Amino acid sequence: MNILVIGSGGREHSLTWKIAQSPLVDDLYVAPGNGGMGEIATCVNLDASNHDEIIDFCRNKNIEFVVIGPEAPLVDGLSDRLTAENITTFGPSAAAAILEGSKGFTKDLCAKYNIPTAAYGRFSDADAAKAFVAEKGAPIVIKADGLAAGKGVIIAEEIEDAFAAIDDIFGGQFGAAGAELVVEEFLEGEEASFFVLTDGENILPFGTAQDHKRVGEGDTGPNTGGMGAYSPAPVMDEVMIKRTINEIIMPTVKGMREEGRPFKGVLFAGLMITNKGPELIEYNVRFGDPECQCLMMRLQSDLVPALMACAQGNLGQITAEWSDEVALNVVMAANGYPGSYEKNTEIKNLAAAEEADNIVIFHAGTKKEGNTILATGGRVLNVTALSPTVTEAKNDAYKALDKIDWPQGFCRRDIGWRAVERENS
Ligand code: AMP
Ligand code: GLY
């Protein structure tokens, strides 16, 4: 079968890497791909927002299955269009992708179906939002309703900061994504990511992970797309997984069906494990980046039938096999990220860094020119290790990373600190 993957990040590199191992695959394409993917797939320069172009390509190359990596094309209806053209597609419809596309929608769904989440209010008017903040007090969380590339959430320690965030959002800082906002209670606890595949009815748990969102060591500084992750997340023990499925995932899958928006794809629940149990922070309608890279390292069974079953409605017949080992990845980003950074700087010595059997370097913002790899994005490389313990995975990942010669890049040195502390206590 010929397969097309949509996307260009570390997440898509790891999905493509795993799909390339499937005996079901004949030709594998990725649009647009990045500097690391050329060896395992054919990179094609297609624009995911141009649906006609994607359809034409699929027809020309006899593509039978499309895997959509990022959220924007999902919210934009690419999955609907491909499905209407009878091309099997992994990724939810636009109607279902609203779970990530509108935070207000998801909060209302939680309220209606009794899903534990922070108490909240939805506002399209600054005065009403400020009155709510004044009543609730700080700390408090302000969120732009729509997609804001992970930057639309402000944790306000003081009331004044919350007021400023409300003014910024309604002032147009996030464009149309900020036409509405959600104000919500600040939740205390440990964060975890939980993934399930679903065909709209059946679910298949698909792993746990923990991300490191802040740019600086000790979880300091501004939020980023994620600076490193590991899987599994020790806080998600069997009891917590069961509770999350029963209290959060199943009511969501059922609720979305009842709302006439059946969800087919991967549900990525961002959770806060509070002293009351799991509470939903947010849903994403695609795999996490960099969490996905860890999941793909641990997945032992074929990814292709599992992803196809989400679209085809036979997920009940699918199982997934996982390595008992720990996967940990460290993101190398361009100096300055998440602010402005230099582009087209050269990265050397990648082959030597990737020599060990348990190391894979997934590329994100890179391009290949001749035999040279250039950094083109903010998050650039994901150095990923699979090892028996989290302490070893961390040591192995940094040992590999330290061989990379890229003076214009940096990383956090403490990825996995929470799990390492737990393992050694
Ligand atoms: P989100 O984009 O919704 O995942 O939010 C980004 C980050 O903000 C999350 O990963 C949390 O660290 C934090 N956050 C969001 N909502 C809350 C909340 N209600 N309480 C505490 N932290 C939150
Ligand atoms: N790493 C967090 C995300 O993908 O949203």
Side-chain angles (χ1 to χ4, degrees):
M1 160 174 38
N2 297 342
I3 299 183
L4 170 66
V5 177
I6 304 281
S8 64
R11 168 183 48 214
E12 288 78 23
H13 189 177
S14 71
L15 290 169
T16 306
W17 172 80
K18 188 65 195 167
I19 290 169
Q21 295 166 26
S22 170
L24 298 170
V25 179
D26 294 315
D27 293 339
L28 181 55
Y29 298 91
V30 55
N34 63 36
M37 295 198 226
E39 280 144 47
I40 52 171
T42 305
C43 296
V44 283
N45 202 9
L46 302 176
D47 172 7
S49 67
N50 185 341
H51 296 182
D52 289 335
E53 187 179 84
I54 302 276
I55 302 288
D56 282 348
F57 180 83
C58 290
R59 294 271 175 259
N60 285 337
K61 299 289 183 190
N62 287 323
I63 302 291
E64 287 168 81
F65 187 42
V66 177
V67 175
I68 302 176
E71 62 277 16
L74 295 168
V75 171
D76 189 35
L78 180 58
S79 179
D80 306 70
R81 179 69 199 282
L82 286 159
T83 304
E85 302 277 346
N86 284 322
I87 299 164
T88 308
T89 301
F90 174 77
S93 67
I98 194 175
L99 272 182
E100 179 164 356
S102 166
K103 293 186 188 296
F105 171 89
T106 299
K107 298 299 285 189
D108 287 352
L109 187 90
C110 289
K112 186 166 171 188
Y113 294 94
N114 217 4
I115 296 163
T117 187
Y120 74 106
R122 281 180 88 168
F123 301 96
S124 48
D125 163 272
D127 289 341
K130 287 180 186 172
F132 187 79
V133 166
E135 184 195 322
K136 296 286 175 192
I140 195 153
V141 184
I142 315 294
K143 301 183 174 185
D145 183 73
L147 293 184
K151 299 189 180 104
V153 173
I154 298 96
I155 315 272
E157 302 292 343
E158 309 289 341
I159 300 257
E160 291 68 36
D161 301 333
F163 286 178
I166 291 168
D167 286 333
D168 286 346
I169 291 174
F170 285 135
Q173 192 186 2
F174 303 108
E180 232 195 79
L181 58 75
V182 168
V183 179
E184 68 178 42
E185 166 202 16
F186 178 78
L187 295 173
E188 303 251 13
E190 183 171 344
E191 278 189 71
S193 305
F194 184 52
F195 299 86
V196 293
L197 296 184
T198 172
D199 59 9
E201 206 144 327
N202 304 291
I203 68 153
L204 178 65
F206 218 62
T208 64
Q210 233 161 12
D211 188 11
H212 299 66
K213 284 231 164 86
R214 304 294 192 101
V215 74
E217 273 144 39
D219 294 330
T220 54
N223 262 335
T224 69
M227 294 300 291
Y230 53 89
S231 170
V235 70
M236 292 301 286
D237 58 19
E238 246 174 74
V239 173
M240 209 53 78
I241 288 179
K242 212 172 246 172
R243 284 193 61 183
T244 304
I245 289 174
N246 291 336
E247 297 169 25
I248 298 178
I249 303 296
M250 288 316 287
T252 301
V253 171
K254 182 165 171 281
M256 290 298 280
R257 223 169 40 231
E258 284 176 16
E259 298 296 314
R261 300 169 182 269
F263 188 95
K264 301 174 186 191
V266 60
L267 253 188
F268 162 8
L271 303 172
M272 189 70 86
I273 309 304
T274 70
N275 55 20
K276 289 189 286 181
E279 298 202 35
L280 182 74
I281 299 176
E282 64 159 1
Y283 272 126
N284 297 304
V285 299
R286 36 83 192 171
F287 283 106
D289 186 345
E291 292 94 324
C292 184
Q293 292 84 309
C294 294
L295 299 183
M296 292 305 112
M297 290 287 273
R298 289 188 54 232
L299 182 63
Q300 289 180 321
S301 44
D302 193 341
L303 178 65
V304 173
L307 298 187
M308 288 190 84
C310 293
Q312 294 175 329
N314 56 346
L315 194 63
Q317 296 159 27
I318 304 281
T319 54
E321 306 296 325
W322 298 93
S323 161
D324 290 332
E325 295 198 315
V326 175
L328 180 143
N329 82 39
V330 181
V331 170
M332 286 196 88
N335 289 336
Y337 174 80
S340 58
Y341 48 82
E342 200 184 333
K343 283 188 180 173
N344 296 316
T345 56
E346 186 177 351
I347 306 169
K348 291 189 211 151
N349 223 25
L350 284 168
E354 212 174 7
E355 226 159 40
D357 285 345
N358 68 330
I359 300 289
V360 181
I361 299 176
F362 296 112
H363 290 222
T366 70
K367 77 172 175 195
K368 196 168 183 181
E369 272 185 9
N371 284 325
T372 305
I373 296 289
L374 299 175
T376 56
R379 292 191 297 168
V380 171
L381 297 170
N382 301 263
V383 183
T384 313
L386 184 70
S387 310
T389 65
V390 70
T391 307
E392 289 165 273
K394 181 178 177 194
N395 291 341
D396 292 347
Y398 281 109
K399 206 167 115 194
L401 183 145
D402 285 333
K403 293 182 187 157
I404 297 173
D405 179 6
W406 181 37
Q408 294 85 0
F410 76 100
C411 67
R412 271 178 68 163
R413 301 293 316 185
D414 64 343
I415 300 302
W417 65 271
R418 230 186 253 273
V420 168
E421 239 169 48
R422 257 204 188 91
E423 193 166 84
N424 297 316
S425 67

